[in-house]
Amino acid sequence: MDSSQSPSDRPPWPSSTAASFVLLVVLVVLTGEMVGDWLWLGTPGAVASNPTPLIWVLGPPLLLLALTGAVTLLEPRIMVRRRHLEPVSGDLIGAQRFGMLAEAEGVRPCPALMANTADKTISARSVGRPGRYLVVMTPAVLGLARRRPGDFDVLVRHELAHIRSGDVALATFAIRSWHVTLLAMAVPLVVRIWNPDLSLLPSFLLRAGVLALVVYAVRAQLLRVREHYADARATPTLAQRRDFDAALAAGMLGRPLRLEARSPSPNLTRRPTRRRRPPRWLALHPAPAERVAVVAEPGLIGVPRWTSLGAAGYVAGAAHLLLQEALWSAGMDALTASGVARALLFGVVGIVGAGEVVRAASVGRAGARALMGPAVALVVGAALGDLFSIGMTGREALPWGGSLSGLVLQLQMLQTLAAVMSALGVAGLLVWAGDALAFVRLSEEPTRRSRRRVSWIVAVVGATAGALTAVYLWPPLPGAGMVALALLLATVAVMLLPQPRRRVLGWSVAGAGAGLLALVALTVLQRADPSAAGVVGSPMTLVLVVALGVGIAGSLRLGAAAGLVIGVAGTVLDTIAFVLVTATLRVVSVEDVLWTLAWWTCWAVLSGLPILAMVGLVRGPTGSGEQSARRPPDASRISRRRA
């Protein structure tokens, strides 16, 4: 694709279908854990206070993953036998045109073309795995190759785009994971239905219902987003985009779209229908208006999605008790096991969040406000996941049922508070990162190799930042962890700086100078009135406030990353000056110097992050052209772009 195009004219990266697929795999594992825990508690001699045996911890999740994978691999054979599919003769015009389009798109080997002669609808679908793909078409679609070759080409390019993207098997896994999840959740009900004691049944149904809703939402998002990616990849040229709009209006790609040509720029409206569509976040297929808007502006795919971060937060809350129990069984003490489990889980959240931020920045749609909704979804998901923890399934009844003791309820609320605090820390970090990356302009499309390298860097940085942020906030880490977190975030901020270094250096010197002036003014004030020391507080506290104030002023012009560097640089420079002056008055050890410098550097980062994130929210859209995630398609703008 032409690198001169704006970032919004090309699909974003990294792909969000990969993140959704990983979340689906984790959710299937959680389903197996919940089912195994419930089944084990129903065995004779099981005690709820004892850890779940390893066979019940690993067996059901592995079985569900194996079952879902097997069904995914067998999907082509099942479809061929169930729908009585037959190979399409190579003499037909449709088959010949299909082969030419596959060769032109670089799809090798050419997928097998099959059809169901009894199907009277207009549809096409791709199934299979790399090297063994099938494209299933109805006779009506094959007839389009002779009557309406433009519409036929649109359908074929769309299916070939799925194959080139490698998301065919992922979609099949997503579809079958929902069926396997429902089947697995029904097993404990069938097994325990003969038990006269059904007091724990409401707890299981409630937790299973929340888990099933999250699985369905992630599955629906994966299926919707893959369609958007296929639409964008199948229409790189202006002529192909016009053919796509025509085919969509004719109903060749699902529900038709009606065009009302009341002006030179037609308004795209939905055809009235009696059946009410499900909510957007539950729909398995994108609406026609959304597909038209994405084809006109593929950067819309990069808008941060709250479903991914909400599901990641739910996983971090729901799986915490399970992972903590496993670490405790391995020999860790309870407090350490809780901290390590929370760090690992929120490290995964950090990876998902970092992917969302970088994806939005790759198409110029990062920003504090763009990340606000997903950040709130992360906090809500973590709270719901901890309240309806999978690890508590079968060990207590609902709190309003009266069987939960006061002590257990207090511990549950404390764990939920810890999850919310950790999620708030990671959410604030994501909002800050979104505002920082909003000032980054990606003028060229990176190569596949550079994408892979950047993806690994983003994953490592996101996992480390998420883990350290979560563990620092609850429970507090020692000083070494605080310093590691501060240095990590400061380093990332420097790496992301798109502005000239001289401007940042000038603001940093200004912040340091303002801090020194504040120190001098405080010294004069204290000599004139000793009682003022108790009002102002520590000299370094005043320096920190002044340096961060200059950093906030700099962030209004240069972004959150520059603001953080300016605030930290001013604090560090003034801390060095303060230590040097103190060393001339009394003996100071090297350890004291390093500790003082690390302490105030850490506080500059940890206090500057949430402040700069809130400043980004108040400031609104930035100079990079951050756009609202809920902006409706603008038909006049689409027509101007295509003209």
Side-chain angles (χ1 to χ4, degrees), residues 168-256:
V168 176
L170 300 186
T172 305
F173 184 92
I175 294 172
R176 298 311 174 194
S177 65
W178 171 246
H179 303 153
V180 172
T181 298
L182 293 182
L183 179 63
M185 289 180 178
V187 171
L189 299 178
V190 175
V191 173
R192 297 289 297 272
I193 196 65
W194 308 108
N195 193 330
D197 183 12
L198 300 178
S199 59
L200 298 180
L201 187 60
S203 173
F204 175 82
L205 292 177
L206 185 59
R207 297 174 194 277
V210 175
L211 176 58
L213 181 63
V214 176
V215 172
Y216 189 93
V218 175
R219 163 185 178 252
Q221 175 180 271
L222 189 152
L223 296 177
R224 289 195 310 271
V225 172
R226 72 182 287 265
E227 295 297 331
H228 285 316
Y229 272 105
D231 291 341
R233 289 191 172 98
T235 55
T237 65
L238 181 60
Q240 290 171 349
R241 294 179 181 182
R242 290 173 176 169
D243 292 340
F244 178 87
D245 288 353
L248 188 64
M252 301 298 170
L253 294 168
R255 200 161 55 94

Side-chain angles (χ1 to χ4, degrees), residues 11 54 68 86 132 193 201 233 286 330 398 404 407 437 449 453 515 521 535 614 641:
L54 190 62
T68 308
E86 299 177 358
R132 303 186 65 179
I193 196 65
L201 187 60
R233 289 191 172 98
L398 296 177
L404 193 63
L407 179 60
L437 281 172
R449 182 177 181 182
R453 182 172 60 252
V535 177
M614 289 186 289
R641 288 173 60 88

Side-chain angles (χ1 to χ4, degrees), residues 256-260 267-272 288-289:
L257 199 70
R258 185 175 62 188
L259 299 179
E260 296 180 355
N267 296 319
L268 303 178
T269 59
R270 298 179 181 179
R271 176 171 292 182

Side-chain angles (χ1 to χ4, degrees), residues 12 23-24 106 137 140 143 145 193 199 215 278 320 336 379 389 447 495 507 510 528 563 573 622 637 643:
L23 286 175
L24 266 181
M137 295 184 179
I193 196 65
S199 59
V215 172
H320 175 259
T336 303
V379 178
S389 174
T447 62
M495 291 170 54
W507 279 91
L573 293 176
T622 64
R637 185 171 181 270

Side-chain angles (χ1 to χ4, degrees), residues 13 444-455:
W13 62 276
E444 296 183 358
E445 186 178 13
T447 62
R448 179 176 298 182
R449 182 177 181 182
S450 61
R451 284 186 180 186
R452 188 180 298 110
R453 182 172 60 252
V454 171
S455 299

Side-chain angles (χ1 to χ4, degrees), residues 353-506:
E356 292 290 329
V357 175
V358 173
R359 186 180 306 113
S362 69
V363 290
R365 293 184 173 272
R369 292 190 178 183
L371 268 298
M372 186 61 189
V376 172
L378 167 63
V379 178
V380 174
L384 289 177
D386 197 87
L387 284 173
F388 304 107
S389 174
I390 302 302
M392 290 297 291
T393 304
R395 286 176 165 81
E396 43 80 22
L398 296 177
W400 49 84
S403 61
L404 193 63
S405 64
L407 179 60
V408 175
L409 181 59
Q410 292 178 8
L411 292 176
Q412 177 70 31
M413 293 299 102
L414 188 63
Q415 288 285 348
T416 303
L417 177 61
V420 171
M421 291 294 294
S422 299
L424 281 173
V426 179
L429 179 62
L430 290 177
V431 173
W432 171 85
D435 190 65
L437 281 172
F439 285 80
V440 177
R441 295 180 182 272
L442 302 180
S443 58
E444 296 183 358
E445 186 178 13
T447 62
R448 179 176 298 182
R449 182 177 181 182
S450 61
R451 284 186 180 186
R452 188 180 298 110
R453 182 172 60 252
V454 171
S455 299
W456 277 107
I457 294 175
V458 168
V460 172
V461 172
T464 308
L468 290 178
T469 303
V471 181
Y472 166 73
L473 289 174
W474 196 286
L477 274 177
M482 296 171 63
V483 174
L485 174 61
L487 295 180
L488 169 72
L489 298 180
T491 303
V492 174
V494 173
M495 291 170 54
L496 299 178
L497 276 179
Q499 302 293 338
R501 303 299 192 270
R502 292 183 179 180
R503 298 180 63 184
V504 178
L505 180 61

